[in-house]
Amino acid sequence: DDPELLAAFQARIDAGEKIEPKEWMPEAYRKTLIRQIGQHAHSEIVGQLPEGNWITRAPTLERKAILLAKVQDEAGHGLYLYCAAETLGVSRDDLTEQLLNGRMKYSSIFNYPTLTWADIGAVGWLVDGAAIMNQVPLQRTSFGPYSRAMIRICKEESFHQRQGYDLMRAMATGTAEQKAMAQDALNRFWYPALMMFGPSDKESIHSTQSMAWRIKINTNDELRQKFVDQTVPQAQYLGLTIPDENLVWNDEKGGWDFSEPDWSEFYEVLKGNGPCNTDRMEARQKAWRDGEWFREGLMAHARKSAARRVA
Ligand code: FAQ
């Protein structure tokens, strides 16, 4: 890339301007955005699976309607994000193919199973809670279409987080058995939720460049710390215990000290060796195969309508 163009581009970023799809951008900026937005879109789509698993078994009609609406919202988020990625010159089919052949990732968190109904509460409270912590700053990301998608997504995401917390509250104030289920869900989801923010800053390969381009606004560790600080009092209010013996308030930094997740587990999950990686990919492969006749039908219909307009 021409150094003058690069300098002018960086100056626009530093001035807080939004970059729009048809404007000049460095190839590496475009590639980073496709990677991040694409992964984010795939996460929303794959993220429907752990919760979809409980729609038929929700304990009341009200909880079922809420869960159904939430899972539908996630599909919508995936679609906004695929549209944002498409403005960078990549097609949705291409992105889907890259997910299905393992060249693109989705969030590690969705490779963990939802074993009990309390897990649905833990997903809303912790997984959506972590997602919002990461996505609120992304509303100010430098690429216009991504930033606008984030504004809409964050509104829905905060409803998701609250429904999760409300479900946990119902469980935690229920029978002793229900409270134990809530605690067990917290125990299993705590560290995987911390991993959602990505590796520690020392290990994060993309952070420095992505922050210089304002694709990312905060480092992985900054957001993880904010998430812990927000979540500890919420757990205390529920009367649940965060599964970390090293959790202690640090007056000096004005935040909680906490244990790092087991990073070797994180990298194993990324390599495809998490508890549900195979199931999740098989479910997506099947959905793609099962949808083939429908995609073909839509294309045939589009061709016919176009021909009719010409005639
Ligand atoms: N899982 O250098 P960094 C949701 C990869 S929320 C898998 O730090 P970066 C809502 C990373 O891609 C979840 N891979 O990377 C919902 C890179 O590998 P690569 C989705 C991860 O990009 C709730 C390598 O590790 N949210 O879906 C993870 O600067 C409930 C090195 O890492 C977003 O995607 C991980 N957790 O920072 C839906 C938010 N962490 O690509 C349904 C947007 C890192 O070179 C139900 N994304 N890696 O092969 C971001 O903010 C960033 O991409 C980070 C990672 C922070 C995730």
Side-chain angles (χ1 to χ4, degrees):
D1 286 327
D2 179 339
E4 259 179 50
L5 275 175
L6 276 176
F9 179 80
Q10 189 63 50
R12 290 190 61 198
I13 301 269
D14 296 343
E17 279 182 41
K18 291 270 178 273
I19 307 301
E20 295 300 335
K22 296 216 163 114
E23 295 170 342
W24 185 85
M25 60 185 79
E27 261 324 290
Y29 177 85
R30 182 189 304 277
K31 269 179 79 176
T32 303
L33 278 170
I34 292 175
R35 178 183 63 80
Q36 180 166 321
I37 302 174
Q39 283 184 6
H40 194 166
H42 297 326
S43 303
E44 302 282 356
I45 299 298
V46 177
Q48 294 178 97
L49 296 168
E51 290 174 289
N53 180 36
W54 281 90
I55 291 173
T56 55
R57 290 173 287 165
T60 67
L61 182 60
E62 190 192 7
R63 292 283 178 196
K64 192 191 193 84
I66 294 171
L67 184 58
L68 196 57
K70 178 185 191 296
V71 172
Q72 272 180 339
D73 284 352
E74 308 300 357
H77 296 175
L79 299 187
Y80 307 156
L81 287 163
Y82 284 128
C83 287
E86 281 184 315
T87 69
L88 292 156
V90 59
S91 73
R92 193 184 302 182
D93 281 3
D94 194 28
L95 291 169
T96 304
E97 224 165 80
Q98 290 192 50
L99 169 71
L100 297 182
N101 66 25
R103 275 188 294 138
M104 278 184 94
K105 296 189 164 82
Y106 56 90
S107 180
S108 51
I109 189 72
F110 302 118
N111 292 307
Y112 290 86
T114 43
L115 301 176
T116 73
W117 174 249
D119 288 12
I120 298 304
V123 168
W125 174 34
L126 302 173
V127 176
D128 286 277
I132 301 174
M133 197 49 90
N134 167 279
Q135 289 170 5
V136 164
L138 288 178
Q139 295 178 106
R140 292 179 287 118
T141 192
S142 61
F143 186 56
Y146 190 25
S147 134
R148 291 187 287 274
M150 279 300 121
I151 292 170
R152 225 171 132 176
I153 290 176
C154 281
K155 287 193 182 134
E156 294 177 352
E157 217 68 276
S158 63
F159 151 70
H160 295 172
Q161 198 266 350
R162 277 156 203 234
Q163 70 80 35
Y165 193 67
D166 180 64
L167 205 167
M168 282 307 259
R169 186 199 46 72
M171 299 292 285
T173 57
T175 63
E177 205 182 345
Q178 285 171 322
K179 184 166 183 186
M181 282 168 74
Q183 181 64 52
D184 173 57
L186 170 59
N187 293 349
R188 282 179 292 105
F189 275 93
W190 176 251
Y191 289 103
L194 294 186
M195 293 177 197
M196 288 175 70
F197 297 95
S200 74
D201 292 352
K202 291 191 298 294
E203 306 292 326
S204 166
I205 44 179
H206 301 296
S207 282
T208 309
Q209 182 59 71
S210 288
M211 286 176 71
W213 278 332
R214 290 181 64 82
I215 289 175
K216 278 168 87 163
I217 310 292
N218 301 92
T219 73
N220 301 353
D221 285 337
E222 277 168 14
L223 292 174
R224 196 171 3 255
Q225 179 71 53
K226 281 179 80 169
F227 173 74
V228 172
D229 293 346
Q230 171 184 284
T231 310
V232 170
Q234 293 174 345
Q236 286 170 338
Y237 181 81
L238 293 176
L240 299 178
T241 310
I242 291 189
D244 181 357
E245 286 174 1
N246 299 317
L247 192 74
V248 40
W249 177 256
N250 180 331
D251 231 353
E252 215 170 290
K253 75 171 178 190
W256 292 85
D257 287 335
F258 58 94
S259 302
E260 292 274 310
D262 174 357
W263 291 115
S264 61
E265 176 181 321
F266 172 74
Y267 288 112
E268 278 304 309
V269 173
L270 259 55
K271 276 197 276 177
N273 302 327
C276 298
N277 294 61
T278 309
D279 278 5
R280 300 300 185 231
M281 286 313 290
E282 275 175 10
R284 292 314 308 152
Q285 307 271 10
K286 181 174 184 308
W288 188 244
R289 279 195 310 274
D290 290 353
E292 193 174 352
W293 67 272
F294 189 71
R295 291 194 300 279
E296 274 175 11
L298 277 179
M299 292 307 286
H301 178 70
R303 276 192 301 273
K304 264 196 198 165
S305 316
R308 214 173 291 134
R309 270 200 301 278
V310 173

